[in-house]
Amino acid sequence: MLAAVVKVSEIMSDEEFLNDMVGSFKHKFAKKPEVIDGNMKALEMALKSVEKV
C-alpha cells in the first residue's frame, strides 16, 4: 500500500523509495535478513503494477 501511495503522489522516485525502504528493513529485520529480499520484491512488484487513472 505504501508503494502505491508513493508512486501515485510522486513524492519521491522509485529508486529513492526503494533505497529508503531497504535501509529501514535492514534496521527492522537485522536479526532476520532473509525477510528483506521478500519485502523488497513485493515493493518492486507493487511499484510496477500501480497505474495512474
Side-chain angles (χ1 to χ4, degrees):
M1 193 71 183
L2 180 59
V5 171
V6 169
K7 183 75 170 190
V8 172
S9 68
E10 298 178 344
I11 196 164
M12 62 176 56
S13 71
D14 292 357
E15 186 176 321
E16 288 174 306
F17 173 66
L18 292 171
N19 286 337
D20 284 353
M21 292 306 297
V22 78
S24 175
F25 289 150
K26 282 182 180 179
H27 176 72
K28 185 174 182 178
F29 298 114
K31 294 183 180 181
K32 294 186 177 186
E34 67 277 4
V35 174
I36 296 170
D37 287 337
N39 278 291
M40 292 307 298
K41 287 178 185 174
L43 288 174
E44 290 168 5
M45 288 174 50
L47 288 171
K48 289 179 185 175
S49 66
V50 172
E51 295 180 22
K52 294 182 182 180
V53 186

